[in-house]
Amino acid sequence: MRHIIDLSDLTMEEFNELYKLTSNIIDRPEGYTDACRGKVLGSLFYEPSTRTNLSFSTAMMRLGGSVVGFSNPNSSSAAKGETLKDTITMVSNYADMIVMRNPHEGAAKAASMFSEVPIINAGDGGHLHPTQTLADMTTILRLRGSADNMKIGLCGDLKYGRTVHSLIHFLANYKNV
């Protein structure tokens, strides 16, 4: 079982393998239309999301899998006080993996301790957003070939912006950024 909570948990070798697979899927999507046939993604979005939520759902369906879950915690038992532990324990009985966005820092890490299936962190508070960093790095590497010797400007909410935090931490793996 492999969670994606924080990209610092991946070695550069693991990241490079993931990048190669991602590039192959982008270049030859027809070869992956059944890659997730029979698999179910549990999608748990405890806070609003349009792009991230739809990108995961669409990707899973394009890979031949299906999606269950919620995009509004008020439509789940969380509205009645169900704990994160109870929700994750229950959903991991139905899904083969869980993607989760939560407004609380560390929620994805906590979920990984209760889950019987891999947890993918789609944003936890102002902490991290590793899947956005994977998308950003895919764009950078496909356009430039490397992130070495790159100058990058970051703007927006630099203190609470989870996308910025994840990207900065990951770019530290490259030379002269």
Side-chain angles (χ1 to χ4, degrees):
M1 176 164 57
R2 183 71 158 140
H3 303 291
I4 298 179
I5 306 300
D6 180 342
L7 290 185
S8 66
D9 296 336
L10 294 178
T11 65
M12 283 307 287
E13 183 179 316
E14 290 171 315
F15 168 76
N16 289 330
E17 287 300 314
L18 185 57
Y19 171 70
K20 283 184 209 170
L21 176 60
T22 301
S23 289
N24 203 28
I25 292 169
I26 291 168
D27 294 338
R28 292 176 265 312
E30 66 282 354
Y32 295 88
T33 56
D34 290 324
C36 290
R37 179 156 315 284
K39 300 293 183 187
V40 177
L41 173 66
S43 179
L44 308 180
F45 278 74
Y46 287 86
E47 65 178 356
S49 169
T50 301
R51 288 169 292 282
T52 303
N53 190 359
L54 289 176
S55 67
F56 272 100
S57 295
T58 302
M60 188 60 168
M61 289 184 279
R62 286 185 175 163
L63 294 171
S66 57
V67 181
V68 298
F70 58 82
S71 60
N72 180 346
N74 291 325
S75 67
S76 76
S77 291
K80 299 186 293 186
E82 183 174 74
T83 66
L84 178 64
K85 178 182 179 181
D86 288 342
T87 299
I88 295 299
T89 300
M90 185 272 305
V91 174
S92 67
N93 287 311
Y94 295 103
D96 298 290
M97 68 203 89
I98 297 170
V99 62
M100 185 178 84
R101 171 167 290 177
N102 195 291
H104 303 291
E105 291 185 18
K109 180 70 172 174
S112 73
M113 293 186 273
F114 309 128
S115 183
E116 296 297 320
V117 299
I119 298 287
I120 301 169
N121 182 3
D124 60 339
H127 190 226
L128 295 171
H129 195 331
T131 57
Q132 181 62 54
T133 295
L134 289 172
D136 292 344
M137 290 307 301
T138 297
T139 300
I140 290 167
L141 295 176
R142 285 178 68 87
L143 291 175
R144 296 187 82 244
S146 173
D148 290 331
N149 303 309
M150 183 175 72
K151 290 183 183 182
I152 185 168
L154 303 167
C155 61
D157 186 348
L158 301 181
K159 185 174 181 181
Y160 298 108
R162 58 185 163 224
T163 56
V164 172
H165 296 159
S166 288
L167 185 58
I168 288 172
H169 289 285
F170 194 76
L171 286 171
N173 290 301
Y174 293 89
K175 296 178 182 100
N176 195 32
V177 175

